[in-house]
Amino acid sequence: MKKLSSLLDAKGYPLEKQKFTWKDLTGKPISKLDDDAFTRVRVILMNGIENDALRLKHIGARMNRELRLPLAEVRRVEHFQATMVNWLLSADHSPIETTIAYEQVAIEVTAAVAQTEPDPYQAQTYRYGLLEDFDHLYRYSALLDRVEGKDANNILQGYTDIVPGRRTALEFRAPEDDLRENYDKENAALITKIHAAMITAAEYQTHDYYMNIGPTFADPIARQLYAEIASVEEQHVTQYGSLQDPDESFLEKWLIHEAMEVYNYHGCAEQEPNPRVKAIWERFLDYELGHLNLVCELFKKYERRDPEEVLGGELPAMVEFKSQRDFVRKVLAEEVDLRSKGTEYVPLKQESKASIAYREQLNSEGVAADIVSAGYTWAPGTELARKRA
Amino acid sequence: MQNKVKTGLNMTGAQMSPDDSERMLDAALSIKPDVKGTTKGIAEQRRLRVVESDQVGSVPIPGTAKGMMKTAINKLMGKQPEVLIDKLGERLAFERSGTRLYEALIAKAEALDGTPEAMLRDLRHFQKEEADHMQLVVEAIERLGADPTAQTPCADVTGVASMGIMQVITDPRTTLSQSLNAILMAELTDNAGWELLIELARQAGQTEIAEAFGKALKQEQHHLVTVRAWLEKDLTSQLS
């Protein structure tokens, strides 16, 4: 265990020296074929986190006059960080292949978080959402196989199973059943706050990605499937976003977000095998430490509080970027029939009537997630290879 | 960049992670699909949406023919003038994109060590011919009173079909032979496209256009044979 505040001893790289060039920002991408799948997982996760950093800061600037300039200055750098990270994805990823990678992020990172989250209710929430993203992977794998004739495992590289989870057609819930109890800012561990911020960020980017690429598909089933799963991702943003304490001040949220960015770049840098990508994670860890120190000063100035109050909690080891197969299978076996009713998790039989009514109406003209995956069993080299074997 | 494919740590295959793959397969076989059926449901949805669907768009009415009696248009282009105009629009779009494809291919060939000077010379010549063909089609469309700046439905659809070819050739990571393979796809389609267009022009009574297009077809046939030979030579040399 170590304290994140110990990281503050390193002041990082000062904001005014954080510079880029256009060429620097759009350098060589990773290899879809030769890089480890977890390199791509980290790229997608960190892009999601940087985009959420921009989102939070834009919203903050709308209601904090005195912070508008520092927010704009940090945001500019984070925009470029997002650019450099996202441009690591190579052009030979088809949009469905990138989608498979997004779901791998959602599964493996959420599973890692669920195991280190100390708050049992929050951990339950991660396990609950995890089984839904796990199901999305299965439906999208069927889509990739049945529309493009490609094997999702070319992207997953054996790390993540392709089987049904909580059936997507059953995931559509009334808004009241997507809200969760929030952590208490006074008593929650720092890592609980970090987890909520990072998983919300990841899900938000997944939602936005599906909303952007969904209409670019010609195939009607693909178009509808993206619409369906994007709506579940919106539910997930609602779910994970509501884990955060709404009584935190904006500066407190900003501080947590910067700490979360430091925490994640640190984990990425520690575990990255690709030296070129590792250098980016190390560089941006330094940048984020610079941002964190800056926000600490603003926190002291405007809130007259010690950042240690927020950042002083102990942290478990960094997120482990590795296959969480055994954990996911256990959760699948034990919790696939759980349902959420209000902020509670209940057995199938006690499912919320509001959600059932909501779902029946939406599903009344057919569900692409069911149609695309009817009878689908993944096989190495696609289901066509199995059928001919 | 090396211009040859190489062996390395490609991570995509099941054999790269035999234990993990075995476990994935176990899971797939033990946890059955939760929705019964086959791919027939997808086919059914596709059929349904085809029936319900609108088209991508329409062929514009010839600008200079507005107000002309239908019979006059028919005289000019046969009974269904939009068919010929649409396909002319497609050819124009394809040749225009083809010019850009060659431009990108030339940059790649110039960057790679060992590209024969003769190949570069031919590539530049082919690019010029693609641009000439584009102009040829522009003139044919104008002669028919149609608008060569409009994007016809077939022009639009051929643009969609060509997106992958452009992605391959403009990717700095692709080798010369991978790019030649992509341009070969374009040239095969282009040859068939010109043959068909000439036939359509003849049937529409546009013999002058058909004759002018005949020269373009001959040049495209030469592109095709040459590109195919380059590709074969490049790959054969990698074998040795």
Side-chain angles (χ1 to χ4, degrees):
Chain A
M1 304 280 264
K2 56 181 157 188
K3 286 189 170 186
L4 184 66
S5 52
S6 65
L7 288 171
L8 290 174
D9 295 342
K11 293 293 177 193
Y13 207 61
L15 184 66
E16 62 276 13
K17 290 187 178 172
Q18 298 178 5
K19 308 271 188 203
F20 304 86
T21 66
W22 298 118
K23 189 170 182 208
D24 180 31
L25 286 167
T26 55
K28 290 197 282 186
I30 61 168
S31 167
K32 181 179 101 173
L33 309 182
D34 291 3
D35 270 297
D36 188 90
F38 276 100
T39 292
R40 180 173 40 228
V41 163
R42 284 181 283 272
V43 166
I44 292 169
L45 174 67
M46 295 319 298
N47 179 57
I49 286 172
E50 288 296 356
N51 274 290
D52 197 61
L54 293 179
R55 190 178 293 120
L56 176 71
K57 289 176 185 64
H58 274 298
I59 295 167
R62 292 176 198 172
M63 49 193 83
N64 292 279
R65 181 178 298 280
E66 69 284 0
L67 295 176
R68 291 199 304 175
L69 180 60
L71 282 168
E73 288 169 341
V74 176
R75 216 165 44 216
R76 184 61 50 85
V77 170
E78 290 187 323
H79 164 79
F80 286 137
Q81 288 177 264
T83 309
M84 187 181 277
V85 171
N86 203 28
W87 263 241
L88 285 169
L89 289 181
S90 56
D92 48 345
H93 289 84
S94 76
I96 310 182
E97 288 179 316
T98 303
T99 298
I100 297 294
Y102 268 61
E103 294 299 344
Q104 186 169 39
V105 173
I107 295 161
E108 302 298 352
V109 175
T110 310
V113 161
Q115 292 169 86
T116 52
E117 171 54 49
D119 179 317
Y121 178 82
Q122 303 253 333
Q124 171 70 82
T125 301
Y126 295 124
R127 295 198 303 275
Y128 187 74
L130 162 67
L131 290 186
E132 301 192 340
D133 288 320
F134 187 68
D135 192 76
H136 301 166
L137 176 65
Y138 171 71
R139 311 296 158 185
Y140 279 132
S141 295
L143 182 78
L144 181 67
D145 189 341
R146 291 175 165 182
V147 172
E148 293 189 5
K150 291 180 186 168
D151 180 355
N153 193 40
N154 290 161
I155 299 296
L156 302 171
Q157 299 179 1
Y159 293 124
T160 314
D161 289 337
I162 305 172
V163 292
R166 182 174 301 114
R167 194 171 134 204
T168 295
L170 307 179
E171 293 172 6
F172 311 123
R173 286 179 291 273
E176 68 207 59
D177 295 323
D178 285 321
L179 288 178
R180 301 290 171 258
E181 300 292 345
N182 59 272
Y183 60 70
D184 170 9
K185 70 187 175 77
E186 301 300 337
N187 297 308
L190 174 59
I191 190 62
T192 295
K193 298 174 183 177
I194 285 178
H195 282 161
M198 72 183 270
I199 299 299
T200 305
E203 294 289 320
Y204 216 133
Q205 100 158 324
T206 306
H207 168 266
D208 288 359
Y209 181 66
Y210 296 166
M211 290 298 283
N212 281 319
I213 65 160
T216 68
F217 287 95
D219 190 280
I221 285 293
R223 290 172 77 85
Q224 189 175 319
L225 181 65
Y226 274 89
E228 290 168 5
I229 296 185
S231 81
V232 179
E233 303 303 348
E234 160 58 21
Q235 292 177 216
H236 284 182
V237 180
T238 300
Q239 166 174 284
Y240 294 125
S242 62
L243 292 176
Q244 300 172 34
D245 191 335
D247 293 330
E248 286 164 339
S249 69
F250 170 70
L251 261 169
E252 196 164 345
K253 286 193 186 295
W254 187 6
L255 200 55
I256 291 165
H257 211 287
E258 295 297 349
M260 181 268 280
E261 293 166 51
V262 167
Y263 173 75
N264 277 291
Y265 277 121
H266 195 281
C268 288
E270 269 188 352
Q271 297 168 65
E272 181 58 60
N274 179 326
R276 196 163 49 79
V277 179
K278 186 184 178 78
I280 293 174
W281 303 144
E282 287 170 343
R283 173 178 169 186
F284 288 175
L285 171 60
D286 264 352
Y287 281 21
E288 292 302 342
L289 283 166
H291 302 170
L292 183 60
N293 276 284
L294 175 82
V295 185
C296 283
E297 292 310 310
L298 294 168
F299 193 70
K300 288 182 211 164
K301 180 177 173 186
Y302 290 106
E303 302 223 344
R304 303 200 175 281
R305 290 165 65 193
D306 184 352
E308 179 79 11
E309 285 176 34
V310 180
L311 303 179
E314 287 191 329
L315 286 173
M318 296 296 153
V319 173
E320 276 196 280
F321 295 104
K322 63 168 198 178
S323 173
Q324 307 290 347
R325 171 176 281 122
D326 292 334
F327 175 77
V328 175
R329 282 191 187 178
K330 184 169 177 289
V331 175
L332 179 66
E334 294 172 357
E335 301 186 14
V336 72
D337 284 336
L338 275 189
R339 296 291 182 268
S340 53
K341 185 175 184 179
T343 58
E344 300 300 313
Y345 295 102
V346 298
L348 184 60
K349 284 184 178 169
Q350 295 171 31
E351 188 173 8
S352 146
K353 286 194 175 73
S355 281
I356 293 172
Y358 171 85
R359 190 167 76 214
E360 282 178 352
Q361 192 275 321
L362 264 176
N363 292 353
S364 60
E365 290 193 88
V367 183
D370 281 353
I371 295 166
V372 77
S373 60
Y376 185 71
T377 298
W378 172 81
T382 78
E383 68 174 351
L384 293 176
R386 189 190 68 247
K387 284 175 179 169
R388 294 183 67 87
Chain B
M1 187 188 75
Q2 283 277 326
N3 192 30
K4 289 182 175 179
V5 289
K6 56 179 180 141
T7 53
L9 277 180
N10 182 312
M11 309 280 279
T12 59
Q15 291 176 15
M16 271 304 284
S17 44
D19 294 343
D20 279 334
S21 301
E22 194 61 38
R23 297 193 69 192
M24 281 184 77
L25 202 52
D26 285 347
L29 294 175
S30 62
I31 302 174
K32 300 292 179 198
D34 53 358
V35 180
K36 297 217 179 324
T38 64
T39 54
K40 282 182 183 169
I42 301 176
E44 191 183 319
Q45 280 299 312
R46 284 172 172 165
R47 281 194 296 271
L48 182 69
R49 301 289 181 118
V50 166
V51 171
E52 292 174 350
S53 182
D54 301 325
Q55 295 186 0
V56 295
S58 60
V59 181
I61 298 163
T64 56
K66 274 177 192 163
M68 282 173 69
M69 297 291 289
K70 184 82 176 171
T71 47
I73 302 172
N74 289 351
K75 196 174 169 187
L76 201 59
M77 286 182 283
K79 280 186 179 172
Q80 299 291 334
E82 63 273 21
V83 175
L84 186 58
I85 291 174
D86 193 15
K87 294 303 279 184
L88 283 166
E90 172 190 308
R91 211 70 266 120
L92 166 54
F94 203 91
E95 299 301 317
R96 196 166 52 199
S97 298
T99 307
R100 298 304 188 190
L101 288 178
Y102 272 103
E103 205 167 276
L105 184 57
I106 289 164
K108 175 159 292 171
E110 285 172 342
L112 295 169
D113 291 336
T115 306
E117 193 49 45
M119 182 192 280
L120 287 172
R121 195 176 54 239
D122 284 347
L123 281 170
R124 292 182 193 120
H125 182 62
F126 290 177
Q127 188 205 4
K128 182 185 171 301
E129 287 183 339
E130 297 291 339
D132 291 346
H133 299 167
M134 171 194 138
Q135 192 52 38
L136 191 64
V137 185
V138 167
E139 287 162 14
I141 292 173
E142 283 173 342
R143 189 182 305 178
L144 298 175
D147 181 357
T149 67
Q151 189 174 41
T152 70
C154 279
D156 180 35
V157 169
T158 204
V160 174
S162 303
M163 279 163 63
I165 296 173
M166 180 271 294
Q167 282 286 90
V168 171
I169 295 175
T170 58
D171 192 329
R173 304 170 307 155
T174 54
T175 63
L176 185 61
S177 63
Q178 287 159 352
S179 301
L180 286 172
N181 204 65
I183 206 96
L184 178 61
M185 290 170 74
E187 290 293 5
L188 282 164
T189 304
D190 209 14
N191 269 256
W194 280 107
E195 286 168 6
L196 184 61
L197 192 57
I198 289 167
E199 185 55 33
L200 286 174
R202 277 206 189 101
Q203 287 192 23
Q206 297 294 328
T207 47
E208 275 185 43
I209 289 178
E211 277 171 26
F213 285 0
K215 186 183 165 201
L217 174 60
K218 282 208 176 83
Q219 289 172 337
E220 293 293 358
Q221 286 167 338
H222 177 60
H223 295 183
L224 175 58
V225 170
T226 311
V227 167
R228 198 193 295 248
W230 283 336
L231 178 59
E232 188 178 335
K233 193 173 173 191
D234 189 280
L235 290 170
T236 311
S237 72
Q238 290 186 42
L239 279 178
S240 57

